[in-house]
Amino acid sequence: MGSPLGPTLANLFMGHFEQKWLAEFSSCKVLFYRRYIDDIFCVFENKEEAEEFYNFLNGKHENIKFTYETEISNKLPFLDVLIDNSGLNIATKLYRKLTFTGLYTNFMSFTPLSYKIGLIKSLLYRTFKINNTWQGFNDDLQLIHNFLQKNSYPQRLLEKITNLFITQHYCHKAENKNCKNENIKYSKLPYIGKTSNIVKEKVRHLSTTFCKNITVQLVFSSFKIGSYFSYKDMVPPLFKSRVIYEFVCLGCNAKYIGLTTRHLGTRIAEHLNIEKNASTIATHLKQNSECRKLCNKECFKIIDFGETEAHLRIKEALHIMKEKPVLNIQVRHENVLLFT
């Protein structure tokens, strides 16, 4: 992934050049132009003018290439909106991709009820803001109910929240403006089931009884099973990479601290192969037959990890500096063999 500033900088870049390019384009008139990040919606008199503007934009910058699509059956999707130009007036509807599965948070999931009600309200509000006709809004309501019922949401709950939503936004919009309490204090707690609802009700009762000017509102946080334990298979130590390892000789208690960016098992095999390798450990084992008989891969252990090779080298130096004073230190290129 790129820098978090990438989308912002790209938006500034396009915002600067699009004004310049629109001023330079004089072949025909752009009836309507709107852009959201990297999606542009334009209106022209005919398809030929649209293609001319498309070719003009593609020739303005070598690093910017545009693609375009035209309306099919007088319909064209733009972001989450389906624009229908088949009638006397333009109608906007909610657009869902062909890959949409209708999968939402299941009503039987271990999640606070307020989260599930919030999901219903957010879907209703989304279709309310996008649709500009009552028929389109009604059609999308039926689809929302069908999708949520497949996710185990009770029909009675859906109808109750939908009726309340319609009443607030259509029938008595001006009358239902509630005064917002600005002195609301929020507190976060983990959701643990029915006990959380009982605690929330008791806190609400205490708040209204003893806190006249302050409203205490509890907010429950959900969690995933993976946050309590890893659901992935553990990587065996010999297959771990980018590690700092320590070798302790069972014969003379010699200690070696090294690093490797490859699998630890591969590096251990190289150290123990005294015939083909001349590493510090291999040289030590070759010179001391008793140590060679006692040492094996069990003498190695991982003591730290690093993200990059430079990070590993810094940590390796710090671990070496932490060692106690020794009688003899032999330096072999990048690693250090310590003899006590």
Side-chain angles (χ1 to χ4, degrees):
M1 300 299 289
S3 169
L5 292 176
T8 302
L9 295 177
N11 192 29
L12 292 174
F13 180 87
M14 284 299 300
H16 170 73
F17 282 100
E18 69 181 352
Q19 295 181 7
K20 179 181 177 181
W21 296 339
L22 287 172
E24 294 177 357
F25 184 70
S26 58
S27 300
C28 61
K29 184 178 181 181
V30 182
L31 302 179
F32 187 84
Y33 180 94
R34 289 292 185 273
R35 178 181 61 84
Y36 180 77
I37 311 298
D38 59 345
D39 291 293
I40 300 175
F41 183 82
C42 298
V43 178
F44 297 89
E45 289 287 352
N46 49 60
K47 186 176 180 180
E48 289 73 19
E49 292 184 356
E51 292 181 349
E52 188 175 356
F53 183 67
Y54 165 74
N55 295 327
F56 170 79
L57 290 179
N58 268 338
K60 300 305 294 182
H61 199 284
E62 59 181 2
N63 293 329
I64 299 180
K65 298 299 177 184
F66 294 87
T67 60
Y68 80 101
E69 58 180 310
T70 59
E71 60 183 10
I72 300 176
S73 301
N74 295 321
K75 295 180 181 180
L76 179 67
F78 180 70
L79 301 177
D80 292 342
V81 183
L82 180 63
I83 302 170
D84 189 351
N85 193 27
S86 59
L88 297 177
N89 298 318
I90 295 178
T92 57
K93 301 179 181 179
L94 191 63
Y95 174 71
R96 298 178 179 87
K97 294 183 178 180
L98 296 177
T99 56
F100 177 73
T101 60
L103 181 64
Y104 295 106
T105 301
N106 195 280
F107 190 78
M108 299 301 176
S109 63
F110 192 74
T111 308
L113 180 62
S114 58
Y115 281 34
K116 301 166 187 175
I117 295 177
L119 171 62
I120 302 173
K121 291 182 178 179
S122 64
L123 293 176
L124 293 175
Y125 185 77
R126 178 167 171 251
T127 188
F128 170 75
K129 296 295 290 186
I130 290 179
N131 283 278
N132 63 348
T133 62
W134 171 257
Q135 183 62 43
F137 178 65
N138 184 66
D139 293 342
D140 277 333
L141 280 183
Q142 299 300 323
L143 289 176
I144 291 174
H145 281 208
N146 291 336
F147 289 138
L148 292 178
Q149 286 180 11
K150 292 180 180 178
N151 288 273
S152 304
Y153 283 75
Q155 182 178 359
R156 183 177 178 181
L157 177 64
L158 294 174
E159 292 177 351
K160 178 180 178 181
I161 297 177
T162 302
N163 292 335
L164 180 62
F165 180 87
I166 295 175
T167 302
Q168 291 177 342
H169 289 80
Y170 275 104
C171 302
H172 306 289
K173 187 174 182 180
E175 299 177 4
N176 290 334
K177 290 184 178 180
N178 298 322
C179 297
K180 294 184 178 180
N181 187 358
E182 297 181 355
N183 294 325
I184 299 179
K185 303 299 180 181
Y186 293 94
S187 181
K188 182 179 178 182
L189 291 177
Y191 181 73
I192 56 175
K194 294 183 179 180
T195 305
S196 297
N197 298 327
I198 297 175
V199 172
K200 183 176 182 179
E201 183 63 25
K202 289 185 177 181
V203 170
R204 186 195 65 80
H205 176 72
L206 292 174
S207 173
T208 54
T209 304
F210 300 101
C211 304
K212 301 299 182 182
N213 299 324
I214 298 176
T215 301
V216 179
Q217 182 70 37
L218 289 183
V219 179
F220 296 124
S221 60
S222 59
F223 60 89
K224 296 182 179 180
I225 296 177
S227 62
Y228 286 90
F229 56 87
S230 177
Y231 48 86
K232 295 183 178 180
D233 294 335
M234 294 291 294
V235 179
L238 295 179
F239 286 95
K240 292 183 178 180
S241 58
R242 294 194 297 273
V243 299
I244 299 173
Y245 58 91
E246 180 183 72
F247 166 79
V248 179
C249 180
L250 297 178
C252 61
N253 203 30
K255 183 177 293 186
Y256 174 90
I257 295 177
L259 65 88
T260 180
T261 58
R262 300 174 295 164
H263 287 164
L264 178 60
T266 302
R267 186 56 179 153
I268 292 176
E270 293 176 350
H271 282 308
L272 297 179
N273 191 346
I274 62 176
E275 300 298 334
K276 295 183 179 181
N277 293 281
S279 66
T280 307
I281 296 178
T283 302
H284 171 68
L285 297 178
K286 190 173 183 179
Q287 295 175 353
N288 300 274
S289 59
E290 294 297 328
C291 296
R292 184 168 64 251
K293 295 178 181 179
L294 296 174
C295 292
N296 52 42
K297 64 180 181 180
E298 302 297 331
C299 299
F300 295 83
K301 69 174 182 178
I302 299 174
I303 59 176
D304 211 337
F305 297 87
E307 298 178 357
T308 63
E309 186 174 355
H311 193 201
L312 284 171
R313 294 187 186 281
I314 295 174
K315 286 193 171 184
E316 178 195 29
L318 293 175
H319 281 287
I320 293 174
M321 293 172 61
K322 290 179 181 179
E323 292 297 323
K324 296 180 180 180
V326 294
L327 299 177
N328 184 22
I329 300 179
Q330 293 183 355
V331 180
R332 292 292 186 271
H333 189 46
E334 301 171 353
N335 302 311
V336 178
L337 181 63
L338 304 178
F339 290 91
T340 58

